[in-house]
Amino acid sequence: MELVPVDSSMVYAVAYDPDTEELLVIFTSGKTYIYEGVPRKVYDGLMSADSKGSYMASYIIDVYPFSTPSRRRKG
């Protein structure tokens, strides 16, 4: 996954893996989340949204399950 910085007051950078449908989001707070089962069209919508934070709140946060890199299941 390639980390892409974005212009947002809420989101610092994102990365997406179309094979696993995992969306990695680094927030400006420094917290990192990996959202699972995110379709490519949702990622594309995030990247084209005028407000990344509003898009995250409407279409990703509390919609897709997530983990954090430190709590990610191994194996």
Side-chain angles (χ1 to χ4, degrees), residues 2-43:
E2 180 182 341
L3 200 57
V4 178
V6 295
D7 183 18
S8 169
S9 61
M10 180 179 168
V11 179
Y12 172 72
V14 299
Y16 183 71
D17 185 336
D19 295 329
T20 61
E21 293 191 323
E22 289 183 330
L23 174 68
L24 182 142
V25 180
I26 302 174
F27 290 92
T28 55
S29 67
K31 293 184 179 182
T32 300
Y33 294 90
I34 300 166
Y35 294 91
E36 302 167 3
V38 179
R40 178 68 191 226
K41 66 180 181 178
V42 173
Y43 167 73

Side-chain angles (χ1 to χ4, degrees), residues 33-64:
Y33 294 90
I34 300 166
Y35 294 91
E36 302 167 3
V38 179
R40 178 68 191 226
K41 66 180 181 178
V42 173
Y43 167 73
D44 290 341
L46 172 64
M47 296 308 285
S48 64
D50 289 334
S51 172
K52 307 292 190 252
S54 293
Y55 191 92
M56 286 289 302
S58 296
Y59 299 102
I60 298 170
I61 296 171
D62 294 330
V63 175
Y64 296 97

